[in-house]
Amino acid sequence: MKNTVLTLLQQKQSGDKITMLTAYDFTTARIMDECGVNAILIGDSLGMVMLGYENTLPVTMDDMVHHTAAVARGAENAFIVADMPFMSYQVCVQDAVRNAGRLIQEGGANAVKLEGGAEVCEQIRAIVNASIPVVAHLGLTPQSVNAFGGFKVQGKSVEKAKKLLDDAKKIQEAGACAVVLEGIPAKLAEMITRQLSIPTIGIGAGNGCDGQVLVYQDMLGLTTGATAKFVKCFADVGTLMRQGIHDYIQQTKTGAFPSEEHTYAVSDDVITELIKEEG
Ligand code: KIV
């Protein structure tokens, strides 16, 4: 069954947790879709995990459209959410609507996601008025890394927590269909979840949200270096990949690969004839 804005809302209402993962390509999206994940996010995290940038800021609309279209071809039932990259919606409302439209029309997304609270409500309203569902994103919003002075947990003071709560209500009022809560204290996320009628999807926001999202390279052990406290490795695919690649190198060098089972045969008569001609 296709996941939609309505089914996600029903999941919140019935207490059935929403599962969302990031994906950036056809093959991964197809596997996730077969597993029954509710939603796939083409995050601008692709800047780091797919393109090797230091943060999400260099990601362009063309990057997002390209990867969104690949995911959309692989996913039949998951609700597809595409991130609006840095500077694709901040400058003016017209840009925001046009760029959101590209992610739907050229990328095949079901919704777009953008970062920010009160300051982007005008954009949310305009995009929703164009019949495009919008997922908001509050808390540790990576496009604000320079303004935050690093990737830091948000909403830890009374003033900042109140601002987040207020932003959450404002984006809901503006028409957002869901909100990602990233890098905020669990009790604050739980309070926001209780006070909103739209689903909250947490990442580093504890267990009290209506759903969870993780970057797939993080949850499959495909990233190197230190990972954030909230990351759980559900399967160490990175180690399996390294093992497989080492085995391939070793077997190719020794000639163990390809063996007969991976080789096409031809009748001896054909070869005899060819040898005769070879002289
Ligand atoms: O870009 C991304 O992957 C995201 C998630 C971390 C929520 O926005």
Side-chain angles (χ1 to χ4, degrees):
M1 191 187 74
K2 177 73 185 171
N3 291 270
T4 66
V5 283
L6 295 180
T7 61
L8 298 185
L9 185 60
Q10 280 160 7
Q11 282 186 259
K12 176 181 176 101
Q13 289 161 353
S14 67
D16 175 20
K17 295 270 188 187
I18 297 164
T19 55
M20 177 189 257
L21 285 171
T22 67
Y24 317 93
D25 67 278
F26 170 81
T27 305
T28 312
R30 194 174 51 179
I31 292 171
M32 287 177 184
D33 201 66
E34 282 166 5
C35 290
V37 75
N38 294 124
I40 295 179
L41 170 67
I42 303 91
D44 59 357
S45 51
L46 74 83
M48 290 170 287
V49 294
M50 300 302 288
L51 304 177
Y53 298 134
E54 210 171 294
N55 55 44
T56 60
L57 303 183
V59 176
T60 65
M61 269 305 297
D62 286 345
D63 292 332
M64 291 308 305
V65 168
H66 179 77
H67 287 271
T68 300
V71 167
R73 286 191 288 271
E76 206 178 311
N77 293 321
F79 185 66
I80 299 169
V81 183
D83 255 345
M84 299 198 67
F86 185 55
M87 285 297 122
S88 69
Y89 59 94
Q90 289 91 341
V91 178
C92 67
V93 170
Q94 283 86 351
D95 269 5
V97 177
R98 204 167 290 120
N99 286 322
R102 282 193 67 195
L103 292 167
I104 304 294
Q105 202 165 36
E106 297 172 48
N110 302 124
V112 299
K113 176 167 83 57
L114 52 78
E115 298 181 6
E119 70 281 11
V120 292
C121 279
E122 210 188 326
Q123 283 89 330
I124 295 176
R125 246 178 241 108
I127 298 169
V128 170
N129 277 340
S131 298
I132 299 172
V134 176
V135 176
H137 186 161
L138 294 172
L140 199 182
T141 43
Q143 290 175 17
S144 302
V145 59
N146 289 320
F148 291 152
F151 294 102
K152 295 177 194 308
V153 174
Q154 301 294 306
K156 287 183 102 168
S157 68
V158 175
E159 187 200 353
K160 298 230 165 98
K162 274 189 180 166
K163 164 88 169 89
L164 274 175
L165 205 46
D166 188 54
D167 276 341
K169 288 178 186 162
K170 287 198 165 120
I171 57 95
Q172 172 171 278
E173 215 175 84
C177 66
V179 58
V180 168
L181 299 176
E182 177 168 358
I184 65 170
K187 286 195 172 148
L188 176 59
E190 208 179 303
M191 192 175 283
I192 294 173
T193 301
R194 233 184 5 251
Q195 294 194 18
L196 293 190
S197 53
I198 57 172
T200 62
I201 300 175
I203 173 163
N207 203 14
C209 296
D210 298 307
Q212 295 294 323
V213 56
L214 281 175
V215 169
Y216 93 81
Q217 284 87 347
D218 286 341
M219 54 88 69
L220 292 181
L222 288 165
T223 38
T224 48
T227 50
K229 179 181 162 77
F230 62 80
V231 168
K232 177 171 175 177
C233 179
F234 285 81
D236 193 357
V237 176
T239 299
L240 264 179
M241 264 181 94
R242 279 184 201 93
Q243 186 59 56
I245 293 165
H246 280 134
D247 288 353
Y248 164 75
I249 292 171
Q250 198 257 341
Q251 290 182 30
T252 299
K253 285 195 181 291
T254 60
F257 174 81
S259 63
E260 209 171 319
E261 111 185 76
H262 299 111
T263 307
Y264 299 107
V266 65
S267 102
D268 287 348
D269 295 349
V270 173
I271 298 301
T272 311
E273 193 58 35
L274 289 177
I275 290 171
K276 257 196 247 158
E277 277 182 27
E278 211 175 28

